[in-house]
Structures are given as structure tokens and as C-alpha cells.
Amino acid sequence: MGNQSELKKLAAHQAVEFVESGMIVGLGTGSTTKFAIERIATLLNNGQLKNIAGIPSSNATKDLANLLGIPLTSLNEHPQIDITIDGADEVDQNLNLIKGGGGALLREKVLAQASKRNTIIVDNTKISEYLGEKWPVPVEVFPLARQVETNFLVALGATVKLRRNKDGSIFFTDQENIILDANFGIIHDPDKIASSLNQRAGIAGHGLFIRLATTVIVATKDGIQILPKNKNIELENA
């Protein structure tokens, strides 16, 4: 069915099928979500969608939406989002997620928690039985708490790496925070780790998205699969 990029585009277009005129739409961040944003813009331009307002999850997404002519609003103006479309770095059998590979995890989680529906777009390589099989947990930390929270994460059993840009400089989020990528290995109890991270004053946010995904749309070599919440996933060999 074509290359992986084309499959991701098909999955993104499938996600946009859930968008209706008059909706407030959360706009995720990343290469896969970009296809969805472009599709929304196309449907707005040809009149198939009307009166859509988007809420971007990052400065990069805001810039893209502005470039494509998608009207934007804010959570303060519209504190409830009808649907958010976003990607994920890893999805487990219960549709829990690890997000934050692109560094927008804090805003992405704010949007997800404010959304009636969260539609996640991934390819089948992102599917795991348990979180942590393929991806560390991004942890957004206030710079002043870098060493304190590094020590805390190590005490929880993680191997911790400060995220850097390709040129070796420290990566900063849109909120001017740093990211510590915490590798816990296979995570059998994501709730326990999330609860521990939630209690830390120096942690602004983390990439464990527990019970937030409503639908996961998966691009596989055999086509698109749509997974409802809490349906077991068996796509590793799809």
C-alpha cells in the first residue's frame, strides 16, 4: 500500500473524518499530525468544513496553522475542545501513550485533558505490549531543578539523559524548560510512575498519557486500523 509516509497521511486523513464544522480542534505536534493539519486546511479552503477553530499545542504548530490559514483560538476562550488530533511515540495494549519526542508534551497534555475526544495517529512500529519497550519517558523539568529531578528519576530506577539538540546545545521547550528522557525499561504500572512524577514541584510535565486516548488510528502495511479505547492491540507484525 505504498511507503510509510503515505500510510501516515492516510491515517491522518482518517482522523480528520471525525472533525465536523463548528468544532474546536486541538492541533497536535509532529510530522504525522502535520498531515492532519494540512487536510483540515484543505477542507476549510474548499468549504467542506466551516467555522473550525484550532488550538495549537506548540509554536511550530501555531506557525503551520497560520501559514495554512486555519483560524486559531485559545483555551482561555474555549476551555473545552471537541477533538484533538495528535501523534504518539509509543502506545500500549490499553491505549496508554508515551508522548514528547518532539518536546511539546506539556501543551499536548493540557489540550488532551481539555478534550472530549483524543484521536491519536501512529504507525504500527509505535505499538507495544507495555510502555517503555521502545521509548523513554520525556520529563519536562524547570531548569533550576535539573539535578534534583535527575537524582529523583534515578532513585525511581530510570536511566536519565538530558535532551540536547543536534549541535549539542541543550534542548529547551516552548516554555523554556529542559527535558530529561527517563528510561524506566518496561513499565508494568504506568499509573504508579505517573503519580510519582505528578507530585514533584520541579517537574512541569511528563510524557505518560494515561487513559487519555479515545481512538488510535494505526497505519500498517495492510492499511489503516482504528482502535477504540481499551481494545487490546495486536499489530506488532501487521
Side-chain angles (χ1 to χ4, degrees):
M1 269 204 67
N3 61 35
Q4 202 72 1
S5 179
E6 285 301 314
L7 289 173
K8 288 180 180 180
K9 183 183 291 187
L10 285 174
H13 287 193
Q14 181 67 56
V16 176
E17 291 296 314
F18 294 113
V19 178
E20 300 176 3
S21 294
M23 281 187 168
I24 304 300
V25 182
L27 304 175
T29 297
S31 59
T32 304
T33 310
K34 179 175 180 286
F35 291 128
I37 296 171
E38 291 171 341
R39 179 61 175 168
I40 290 171
T42 297
L43 296 178
L44 282 171
N45 289 334
N46 66 22
Q48 290 180 257
L49 283 178
K50 298 178 180 179
N51 302 318
I52 293 295
I55 300 180
S57 59
S58 66
N59 293 340
T61 294
K62 178 181 178 181
D63 291 343
L64 176 62
N66 282 329
L67 179 66
L68 296 174
I70 298 175
L72 297 179
T73 185
S74 69
L75 277 174
N76 287 330
E77 294 178 7
H78 294 93
Q80 187 170 64
I81 298 172
D82 293 299
I83 184 171
T84 288
I85 299 175
D86 208 347
D89 299 304
E90 193 167 16
V91 182
D92 76 5
Q93 58 188 330
N94 295 311
L95 305 194
N96 294 318
L97 317 172
I98 288 179
K99 288 177 51 54
L105 60 146
L106 180 55
R107 292 192 193 181
E108 288 174 339
K109 186 173 286 187
V110 172
L111 266 59
Q113 291 176 343
S115 298
K116 296 178 184 177
R117 181 171 192 165
N118 286 296
T119 299
I120 305 299
I121 315 164
V122 296
D123 63 71
N124 64 294
T125 66
K126 305 296 178 66
I127 303 300
S128 299
E129 184 175 3
Y130 297 102
L131 296 181
E133 290 180 10
K134 303 173 181 177
W135 203 266
V137 178
V139 181
E140 185 164 343
V141 171
F142 300 113
L144 65 88
R146 170 181 168 181
Q147 194 57 53
V148 171
E149 301 307 341
T150 296
N151 294 347
F152 172 74
L153 293 168
V154 170
L156 288 182
T159 300
V160 181
K161 186 175 182 179
L162 174 67
R163 187 176 297 184
R164 295 183 180 274
N165 297 306
K166 291 182 179 179
D167 64 3
S169 60
I170 295 175
F171 175 89
F172 287 94
T173 69
D174 287 346
Q175 292 72 237
E176 297 298 323
N177 296 321
I178 61 172
I179 290 182
L180 301 177
D181 287 307
N183 190 341
F184 292 94
I186 294 175
I187 300 174
H188 293 282
D189 191 349
D191 279 288
K192 182 177 180 180
I193 293 177
S195 178
S196 296
L197 300 180
N198 290 339
Q199 296 178 38
R200 297 294 294 186
I203 293 176
H206 59 82
L208 289 172
F209 283 51
I210 310 299
R211 290 180 296 277
L212 285 173
T214 308
T215 305
V216 176
I217 300 178
V218 187
T220 81
K221 67 180 181 181
D222 297 317
I224 303 302
Q225 296 194 23
I226 301 177
L227 305 174
K229 191 171 184 178
N230 294 327
K231 181 177 180 180
N232 287 341
I233 301 171
E234 295 181 356
L235 291 174
E236 288 84 351
N237 298 315

